[in-house]
């Protein structure tokens, strides 16, 4: 059975009539096509709509036809839904493709019925594959209804096919009185076909493909949403992570999006493990169409947000930050000197007690293991899971300088002034001079190599040096005679 991912374009219209009963208020039709069997012409899809809550509605009915067969035999439909007793009976529905019954329509968990209560002579097939899902929206008077796995057999397997349906509801215990009714919701099948895929990179990425099966369509746009539970149903809890510009779909052609990310949701769990939904909007259609992107990537393990290595005096300071952690035991720190292999010089455990985190965590490690010569030093992290699996970080290079280890202050003791010489290659530093009482007396920003300090009165001073690249600070005493 060959699967085709098709776009169901819903053109919603209301037949012009003056019923004595109310109009059922439904809106925001969305369709998700699941499958089309090109041998049997059977189509499977989900249909969603938004409706106003009416706690009295006990039953709802949906009747579907092909467009040529809609409301035939016509003579029997002249006054249909015009009064509480004007409900369709078996002879009225002889040409219908399907009748779907929703029992306990007012409840939080309605279900698919197997009996058409107004006329049990109209046989409703036992559709065990059908289900209905209700989602209450933020407004307690509005809810989202979805019928999943509707199966219809179309008159043709190819070309545009049109399905028209009515929806009506009953408050009666026997399910026969018409409380509200809406006619003429139209599904146009096989106009465009969207599909999407999630790429299991870290962070996650996605790509969208849309096929147009007819004339050129201009000003089409699409949104991508995180698919929260209930999965496969687009509702306001599904966060928008991407909105496209307007695009043109060429006649009988394709649109292929670039590979795109969706930070910050794509590099943290649980959002990085959720499916996505692409929602396509076509001009002059009062509906949108959705397609789901399954997420088979699994949870992220550890996402490194940054990793740096910097010489500070005789040590090398390693700093790294994680954005997410999943089952993380910790980090093995490895170093490689010229002509040698990597060797383990330390281990830093996860800062999360459970090894799981969706917050930024900071890590530090000082290499004080005695590098004895000037030259290139390489560092990397080996992240180890609780189950023993591991992965390596990118490599960081430090040009270690044996002469870079000391700040020189001379003369010290000084006679009114001193010269401060900074190690080469450490970048700009900020310096603050305090007197014996701890009061700041001088301050210099962005010093690169050396600084001359004059005009100091006799006493003991403390010089604090702030290394801007590493955030490390150190203090030196200066005695002025």
């Amino acid at each position: 059975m060959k699967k085709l991912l098709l776009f169901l374009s819903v053109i919603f219209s209301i037949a012009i009539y003056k019923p004595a009963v109310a109009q059922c208020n439904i809106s925001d039709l969305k369709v998700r096509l699941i499958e089309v069997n090109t041998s049997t012409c059977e189509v499977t899809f989900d249909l969603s709509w938004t409706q106003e809550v009416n706690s009295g509605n006990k039953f709802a009915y949906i009747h579907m036809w092909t467009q040529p067969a809609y409301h035939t035999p016509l003579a029997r439909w002249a006054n249909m839904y015009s009064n509480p007793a004007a409900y369709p009976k078996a002879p009225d529905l002889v040409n219908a493709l399907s009748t779907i019954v929703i029992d306990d329509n007012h409840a939080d968990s309605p279900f698919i019925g197997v009996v058409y209560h107004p006329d049990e002579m109209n046989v409703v097939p036992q559709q065990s594959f059908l289900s209905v899902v209700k989602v209450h929206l933020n407004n307690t008077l509005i809810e989202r209804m979805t019928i999943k796995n509707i199966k219809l057999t179309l008159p043709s397997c190819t070309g545009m096919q049109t399905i028209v349906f009515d929806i009506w509801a009953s408050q009666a215990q026997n399910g026969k009185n018409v409380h509200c009714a809406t006619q003429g919701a139209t599904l146009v099948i096989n106009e465009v076909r969207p599909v999407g895929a999630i790429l299991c990179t870290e962070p996650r990425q996605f790509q969208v493909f849309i096929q147009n099966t007819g004339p050129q369509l201009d000003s089409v746009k699409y949104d991508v949403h995180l698919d929260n539970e209930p999965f496969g149903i687009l509702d306001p809890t599904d966060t928008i992570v991407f909105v496209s510009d307007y695009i043109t779909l060429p006649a009988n052609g394709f649109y292929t999006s670039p590979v795109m990310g969706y930070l910050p949701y794509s590099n943290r769990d649980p959002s990085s493990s959720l499916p996505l939904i692409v929602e396509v909007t076509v001009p002059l259609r009062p509906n949108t169409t959705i397609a789901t992107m399954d997420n088979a990537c699994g949870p992220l393990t550890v996402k490194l947000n940054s990793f740096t290595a910097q010489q500070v005096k005789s040590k090398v300071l390693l700093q790294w930050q994680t954005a997410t952690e999943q089952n993380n035991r910790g980090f093995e720190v490895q170093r490689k000197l010229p002509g040698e292999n990597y060797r383990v010089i330390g281990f830093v455990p996860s800062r999360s007690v459970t090894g799981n985190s969706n917050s930024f965590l900071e890590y530090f490690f000082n290499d004080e293991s005695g590098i004895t010569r000037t030259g290139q030093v390489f560092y990397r992290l080996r992240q180890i899971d609780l189950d023993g699996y591991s992965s390596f970080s990118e490599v960081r290079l430090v040009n270690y300088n044996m002469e870079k280890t000391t700040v020189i202050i001379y003369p010290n003791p000084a006679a009114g002034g001193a010269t401060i010489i900074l190690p080469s290659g450490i970048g700009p530093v900020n310096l603050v001079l305090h007197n014996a009482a701890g009061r700041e007396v001088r301050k210099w920003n962005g010093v690169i190599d050396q600084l001359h300090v004059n005009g100091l009165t006799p006493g003991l001073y403390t010089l604090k040096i702030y290394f801007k690249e590493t955030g490390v600070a150190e203090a030196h005493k200066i005695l002025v005679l």
Side-chain angles (χ1 to χ4, degrees):
M1 180 173 63
K2 183 178 180 182
K3 291 186 177 181
L4 298 177
L5 291 175
L6 305 180
F7 175 94
L8 297 187
S9 174
V10 184
I11 302 176
F12 180 70
S13 59
I14 305 299
I16 300 176
Y17 70 110
K18 296 182 179 180
V21 296
Q23 176 182 314
C24 295
N25 292 318
I26 65 173
S27 61
D28 193 20
L29 294 173
K30 300 183 190 297
V31 181
R32 182 175 76 97
L33 190 72
I34 299 171
E35 182 181 31
V36 170
N37 188 316
T38 56
S39 299
T40 64
C41 300
E42 184 181 69
V43 58
T44 305
F45 61 96
D46 297 345
L47 175 62
S48 299
W49 67 89
T50 297
Q51 65 184 24
E52 293 184 10
V53 173
N54 189 320
S55 59
N57 284 347
K58 297 177 176 60
F59 304 93
Y61 307 98
I62 302 175
H63 310 294
M64 295 186 173
W65 296 262
T66 62
Q67 191 174 43
Y70 179 57
H71 282 183
T72 59
L74 186 61
R76 301 186 59 88
W77 285 84
N79 297 305
M80 194 63 70
Y81 310 122
S82 61
N83 62 74
Y87 46 78
K89 302 176 182 62
D92 306 310
L93 302 170
V94 64
N95 292 315
L97 287 173
S98 177
T99 291
I100 298 173
V101 179
I102 303 177
D103 288 347
D104 283 356
N105 186 56
H106 62 289
D108 287 338
S109 299
F111 59 94
I112 299 296
V114 296
V115 175
Y116 181 58
H117 306 287
D119 186 351
E120 295 186 11
M121 295 300 293
N122 181 52
V123 178
V124 178
Q126 296 270 345
Q127 301 187 71
S128 59
F129 42 80
L130 272 180
S131 62
V132 58
V133 178
K134 176 186 288 189
V135 177
H136 290 282
L137 305 185
N138 292 335
N139 186 332
T140 57
L141 299 179
I142 303 295
E143 56 195 16
R144 189 85 186 153
M145 297 289 289
T146 301
I147 300 179
K148 301 176 72 70
N149 296 310
I150 299 172
K151 294 182 184 290
L152 302 178
T153 300
L154 304 177
S156 173
C157 298
T158 60
M160 182 179 291
Q161 302 294 310
T162 303
I163 299 169
V164 186
F165 63 92
D166 291 354
I167 297 180
W168 65 282
S170 175
Q171 295 183 356
Q173 291 290 345
N174 61 9
K176 293 185 178 182
N177 288 353
V178 180
H179 167 69
C180 68
T182 292
Q183 303 182 62
T186 304
L187 310 179
V188 178
I189 300 175
N190 201 26
E191 183 178 28
V192 296
R193 309 172 183 176
V195 64
I198 296 176
L199 285 68
C200 294
T201 57
E202 293 192 14
R204 306 289 184 237
Q205 296 176 301
F206 69 86
Q207 193 167 23
V208 172
F209 310 89
I210 306 174
Q211 180 183 6
N212 181 20
T213 64
Q216 177 172 301
L217 293 172
D218 297 320
S219 299
V220 176
K221 66 180 300 185
Y222 62 92
D223 305 334
V224 177
H225 306 246
L226 287 178
D227 186 13
N228 294 293
E229 290 190 85
F231 297 124
I233 296 173
L234 186 58
D235 62 59
T237 68
D238 297 326
T239 305
I240 295 178
V241 299
F242 177 80
V243 178
S244 77
D245 295 327
Y246 288 103
I247 61 174
T248 296
L249 298 179
N252 300 303
F254 289 86
Y255 164 80
T256 301
S257 79
V259 175
M260 295 175 287
Y262 51 107
L263 293 171
Y265 307 100
S266 57
N267 70 340
R268 67 188 187 195
D269 288 325
S271 57
S272 66
S273 300
L274 290 175
L276 298 176
I277 294 179
V278 55
E279 179 184 28
V280 181
T281 301
V282 179
L284 304 180
R285 308 280 195 285
N287 67 284
T288 61
T289 296
I290 67 174
T292 56
M293 303 184 213
D294 293 332
N295 191 332
C297 302
L300 294 167
T301 52
V302 172
K303 169 61 180 174
L304 276 179
N305 195 50
S306 63
F307 173 36
T308 62
Q310 176 74 39
Q311 182 180 348
V312 180
K313 302 183 69 174
S314 61
K315 301 180 293 186
V316 175
L317 173 64
L318 282 70
Q319 298 176 281
W320 63 98
Q321 182 189 72
T322 62
T324 62
E325 295 187 17
Q326 180 78 18
N327 295 325
N328 180 31
R329 184 165 72 88
F331 302 88
E332 192 177 77
V333 182
Q334 299 185 359
R335 185 186 70 190
K336 181 183 182 301
L337 298 175
E340 299 180 4
N341 295 322
Y342 278 102
R343 69 180 184 91
V344 179
I345 60 172
F347 181 81
V348 180
S350 172
R351 292 187 59 196
S352 171
V353 175
T354 63
N356 302 296
S357 171
N358 289 317
S359 302
F360 291 107
L361 298 179
E362 303 280 353
Y363 293 88
F364 304 88
F365 181 85
N366 276 312
D367 180 9
E368 302 177 282
S369 54
I371 304 173
T372 58
R373 64 181 185 268
T374 297
Q376 293 182 331
V377 185
F378 300 89
Y379 293 91
R380 69 183 182 185
L381 303 174
R382 177 175 174 243
Q383 182 271 317
I384 305 174
D385 291 347
L386 293 172
D387 55 10
Y389 289 99
S390 64
S391 60
F392 288 100
S393 71
E394 295 181 355
V395 174
R396 293 294 180 261
L397 168 64
V398 174
N399 289 308
Y400 192 82
N401 184 352
M402 293 292 293
E403 299 177 355
K404 187 182 177 180
T405 61
T406 305
V407 173
I408 300 173
I409 302 174
Y410 74 93
N412 192 11
T419 298
I420 302 162
I421 300 179
L422 304 171
S424 62
I426 64 171
V429 300
N430 295 338
L431 298 97
V432 180
L433 188 67
H434 297 266
N435 62 16
R439 186 171 64 251
E440 179 182 311
V441 294
R442 301 277 183 90
K443 184 176 182 179
W444 304 268
N445 292 327
V447 179
I448 300 297
D449 48 14
Q450 65 180 14
L451 176 70
H452 299 286
V453 181
N454 296 310
L456 298 178
T457 59
L460 182 63
Y461 294 84
T462 300
L463 178 68
K464 290 186 177 180
I465 304 175
Y466 298 88
F467 297 86
K468 298 177 66 176
E469 288 188 3
T470 63
V472 175
E474 61 182 56
H476 298 266
K477 297 296 183 181
I478 301 176
L479 177 60
V480 178
L481 300 176

